[in-house]
Amino acid sequence: MNRRATRSWPIFGSLQGYRRSWIRADVVAGLTVWAVLVPEALAYATIAGVPPVIGLYAAIPALVLYAAAGSSRHLVVGPMSATAALSAAIIAPIADADDGKFVALSAGLAIATGIAGLIAGFARLGFIASFISEPVLKGFIVGLALTIIIGQVPKLFGIEKTEGNFFVQAWRVIRGIGDTDWRTLGVGALCLVVVLGFKRWLPLIPGALVAVVLGIATVMLFGLDDKGVAIVGHIDSGLPALGMPEGLDFHDYLDLLGPAVGVLLIGFAEGLGAAKTYAVKHGYTVDPNRELLGLGVANLGSGLSSGMVVNGSLSKTAVNGGAGAKTQVSGLVVAALVVLTLLFLTGLFEQLPDAALAAIVIAAVVELVDFAALHRLYRVWSDRLGSIYGLAAREDFAAAIAAMLGVLLFDTLPGLVVGIGVSMLLLLYRSSRPHVASLVREGDRWVDVTAHASDHIAGRTDALVVRVESGLYFANSDYVHQQIKSRCTDETRLVVLDAETSPFIDVSAAQMLLELRDTLAERGITLRIARDIGQFGDVLEHSGSGGAPIAVYPTVRAAIADPYTTVDPDSS
């Protein structure tokens, strides 16, 4: 993709460079995702409090429009449990038990979410994602995947599903094991074995599609729906009506715009997490601004097609990637199949057992429960590398665990807020506690003394060279002052601050250096600066007065080689 195309956000940009050899993989992946999306969309519409068929209405424009505007080759956009539940919570107080208005407001919320996404995308607010660190995003994904899994377990066992956080649901599953419907569990376990077995030994065959066919056939052959095995049930057929929802005015959309921002935030976080996961696996990048734009047009299209809020799906993206999808052609295949489903196949999916659906979702999501990544963060903290950068490693591990527990304890939206809050606190904390390295000379380089046995410079114990691996400003100036002062010994007579890794300095930090100069001078120590860059020297020169100026040298070697004497702060 050329630079001009990147700037103009081309339609179907993720399909550029498409190879004919990818068609089979994309079609197979599309068939597999279709087999999962149809029953899931029906179920999530019920969660949102609208008729099941509305989930299918939402899926068609979402899949096509995201493929046109988004940047991920693998992300599947459609109705999702978290945003569906949030939609129901937002609409219920407004609809006032009016079913017709409830449906209209659900579509209106999708339109408002779409508008918010378009504004954010065109305003290039995707940088907001940069404030969610990779460990936080990893913890969020693990927590969300575990929440999805525990939500499917009651369907697998044929027991009553309850609301609450992950731990509440897990406890109630344990208490309800005695009420297991063994026919339901048998169907679910068989489908789970089929999906996992095909993924392990026959990866070219879509195990999820086989499980769907097997589940439907089992229900029909043995009449399991009459023996207590839950199935999807009746689905209306036909294509959706297009246009603005009836019965809503301008003020309704204004009322929905605020809550829509929360829906957008959840959808963006989950979709971006899934998109990044598969982008890393397949060696390409996703554009957060394009993701906002893609999510915006997907929701706008859904709302104008009598649908509901949609977002990037963690579970269906896992199914898509696991089935071998190469590009968004798989999503277009799914959209075409959903159209055919609405026209001709709704009766077939009415016989799909909920346990089979649960097995497919669990098998898809389980690979996203990446405890190995969390263990790697812990290992970095605890091994030798952690002894050098232990503070940062410890923070990364703590942030990942905090984000994961936030989702598990407080649900998706509060969990995301916890994750973002932790990211911001870590940013501020790390910025206020930069790494201050004591340096030794290794050949022509000055390197961190922590990684070397020597703790002095070429046999000299009277000179200390330090480097602050950050800009210097008000938030970290006191910390840097304390660190440098504490490293001076009774033998120290010279301190050289290597400023090469400090790209900027503000007035507060410049004043701190002048105060440090005076404090060290009282102990008979000279302070010098080497290799200042950018506006470092200019700010330092104009920021203070009084006392001798701090000498600035082009290199650390020059700063050490120049004869030095104790500076008296009262001498000028």
Side-chain angles (χ1 to χ4, degrees):
M1 186 183 299
N2 60 40
R3 187 176 301 173
R4 181 178 179 183
T6 301
R7 286 198 301 266
S8 62
W9 283 345
I11 296 175
F12 293 106
S14 62
L15 303 186
Q16 291 190 3
Y18 193 83
R19 301 176 186 174
R20 186 175 299 178
S21 60
W22 293 347
I23 292 178
R24 180 185 181 279
D26 281 336
V27 170
V28 170
L31 283 165
T32 306
V33 174
W34 164 74
V36 176
L37 181 143
V38 170
E40 280 193 352
L42 301 173
Y44 296 153
T46 303
I47 293 174
V50 294
V53 73
I54 286 180
L56 299 181
Y57 293 166
I60 299 169
L63 290 163
V64 174
L65 293 175
Y66 176 81
S71 64
S72 171
R73 300 175 191 170
H74 295 86
L75 186 67
V76 177
V77 176
M80 274 300 296
S81 58
T83 47
L86 187 57
S87 174
I90 292 168
I91 301 303
I94 307 174
D96 230 3
D98 184 336
D99 291 343
K101 190 173 183 181
F102 201 109
V103 171
L105 284 170
S106 296
L109 180 62
I111 292 174
T113 303
I115 293 171
L118 289 173
I119 293 172
F122 283 120
R124 297 185 178 274
L125 298 182
F127 71 88
I128 294 173
S130 300
F131 290 93
I132 307 176
S133 68
E134 201 64 36
V136 166
L137 195 57
K138 178 62 69 176
F140 176 77
I141 289 175
V142 171
L144 189 56
L146 288 172
T147 301
I148 292 173
I149 289 172
I150 198 62
Q152 297 297 319
V153 169
K155 295 180 182 179
L156 195 67
F157 282 80
I159 60 179
E160 183 180 358
K161 185 182 186 304
T162 57
E163 300 302 322
N165 64 37
F166 172 84
F167 298 103
V168 170
Q169 292 188 59
W171 174 242
R172 289 178 179 172
V173 165
I174 294 172
R175 291 182 61 185
I177 288 294
D179 298 326
T180 297
D181 184 291
W182 296 105
R183 293 186 182 90
T184 299
L185 180 59
V187 172
L190 176 62
C191 291
L192 185 60
V193 169
V194 166
V195 176
L196 293 177
F198 273 74
K199 183 182 294 187
R200 174 67 175 84
W201 290 292
L202 296 171
L204 297 180
I205 300 176
L209 188 57
V210 174
V212 167
V213 173
L214 182 62
I216 293 174
T218 303
V219 169
M220 296 178 68
L221 286 174
F222 298 102
L224 296 181
D225 53 326
D226 295 327
K227 299 176 182 178
V229 175
I231 59 174
V232 170
H234 176 70
I235 307 170
D236 293 327
S237 61
L239 296 178
L242 303 180
M244 299 294 289
E246 294 183 2
L248 301 186
D249 57 28
F250 180 72
H251 295 289
D252 289 319
Y253 290 104
L254 282 181
D255 292 339
L256 292 171
L257 194 56
V261 174
V263 175
L264 178 69
L265 188 59
I266 286 183
F268 181 53
E270 181 176 354
L272 185 64
K276 280 188 172 182
T277 297
Y278 285 89
V280 169
K281 285 185 178 181
H282 295 273
Y284 65 93
T285 59
V286 293
D287 180 348
N289 295 312
R290 285 275 301 277
E291 291 306 294
L292 281 170
L293 191 66
L295 185 59
V297 296
N299 273 284
L300 189 59
S302 174
L304 294 174
S305 303
S306 307
M308 54 183 282
V309 290
V310 295
N311 63 277
S313 167
L314 199 64
S315 57
K316 287 184 281 292
T317 301
V319 171
N320 196 34
K326 301 296 184 182
T327 69
Q328 281 294 331
V329 167
S330 66
L332 299 177
V333 170
V334 178
L337 291 172
V338 173
V339 171
L340 293 176
T341 301
L342 282 169
L343 293 176
F344 307 112
L345 302 176
T346 53
L348 178 64
F349 280 93
E350 292 175 357
Q351 301 298 312
L352 178 66
D354 288 345
L357 171 60
I360 294 168
V361 173
I362 290 172
V365 173
V366 71
E367 69 177 40
L368 298 174
V369 184
D370 194 356
F371 286 126
L374 300 181
H375 182 260
R376 284 193 296 273
L377 287 173
Y378 177 79
R379 192 173 64 242
V380 169
W381 168 23
S382 60
D383 67 9
R384 183 175 181 272
L385 184 60
S387 68
I388 301 173
Y389 302 106
L391 183 61
R394 183 167 63 248
E395 290 169 1
D396 284 340
F397 177 70
I401 296 300
M404 182 184 72
L405 290 178
V407 175
L408 296 180
L409 285 169
F410 306 116
D411 208 358
T412 308
L413 181 57
L416 179 60
V417 172
V418 169
I420 294 175
V422 169
S423 290
M424 296 302 297
L425 287 175
L426 288 177
L427 176 65
L428 294 173
Y429 185 78
R430 288 179 179 176
S431 179
S432 67
R433 297 290 188 275
H435 180 56
V436 181
S438 297
L439 306 182
V440 294
R441 186 174 173 184
E442 184 181 71
D444 293 330
R445 299 183 306 135
W446 291 89
V447 296
D448 194 336
V449 70
T450 312
H452 298 263
S454 174
D455 61 354
H456 57 274
I457 303 166
R460 296 178 57 176
T461 59
D462 60 342
L464 171 67
V465 180
V466 294
R467 178 176 64 206
V468 181
E469 297 180 351
S470 166
L472 293 173
Y473 69 113
F474 67 93
N476 63 25
S477 58
D478 288 342
Y479 177 79
V480 171
H481 183 288
Q482 185 273 332
Q483 285 289 308
I484 295 176
K485 186 174 68 173
S486 66
R487 297 184 190 189
C488 295
T489 67
D490 293 338
E491 297 179 333
T492 304
R493 290 295 175 265
L494 173 67
V495 172
V496 178
L497 172 60
D498 182 357
E500 185 181 35
T501 56
S502 298
F504 65 89
I505 184 172
D506 72 357
V507 173
S508 297
Q511 187 62 40
M512 175 275 293
L513 290 178
L514 295 174
E515 293 173 359
L516 177 64
R517 172 205 64 188
D518 297 344
T519 300
L520 295 179
E522 292 175 359
R523 297 171 57 180
I525 302 172
T526 300
L527 175 64
R528 291 175 177 172
I529 294 175
R531 301 199 292 184
D532 66 307
I533 59 176
Q535 40 77 52
F536 192 102
D538 295 335
V539 174
L540 188 64
E541 180 180 351
H542 295 95
S543 61
S545 59
I550 302 177
V552 179
Y553 293 80
T555 65
V556 175
R557 180 183 296 182
I560 294 173
D562 193 23
Y564 51 88
T565 57
T566 301
V567 178
D568 183 356
D570 299 322
S571 62
S572 59

